[in-house]
Amino acid sequence: MSKFGSLAEVCADNPGAFLGTDDAHEEGALDLGDLATVERALAELGYVSVPEELLESDYDGPGRLEQFSAQPSWWTRFFGTVW
């Protein structure tokens, strides 16, 4: 769940373990029926599911994330970092 409240990322393992849900499904780590169930439940709770592929792209938004030495991703922007 995002630190901004209504965003959620659904991934088959830790973020970044696969190149997205298609890759996870092809590798046999994600059942599309299970994914649909989770996304439906998130939507019913008012969350928006954001594809991992989009979140892993470089952050180029209006706010500066100066505390990061490397180029942050959109995942960093909305979900924070894992320390």
Side-chain angles (χ1 to χ4, degrees):
M1 302 299 175
S2 171
K3 61 185 177 181
F4 289 93
S6 64
L7 298 178
E9 175 187 14
V10 178
C11 51
D13 203 332
N14 292 325
F18 295 95
L19 298 176
T21 54
D22 289 340
D23 184 47
H25 175 65
E26 289 171 9
E27 295 286 328
L30 179 66
D31 178 80
L32 295 181
D34 291 344
L35 175 62
T37 299
V38 169
E39 288 184 339
R40 195 170 35 255
L42 287 170
E44 289 172 2
L45 293 169
Y47 287 93
V48 175
S49 179
V50 181
E52 186 173 8
E53 300 88 334
L54 293 176
L55 292 172
E56 291 299 324
S57 62
D58 287 346
Y59 174 74
D60 60 357
R64 295 189 49 112
L65 301 179
E66 296 174 357
Q67 68 270 31
F68 300 99
S69 59
Q71 173 66 39
S73 65
W74 282 96
W75 191 92
T76 305
R77 171 68 173 94
F78 288 115
F79 295 90
T81 59
V82 178
W83 301 101

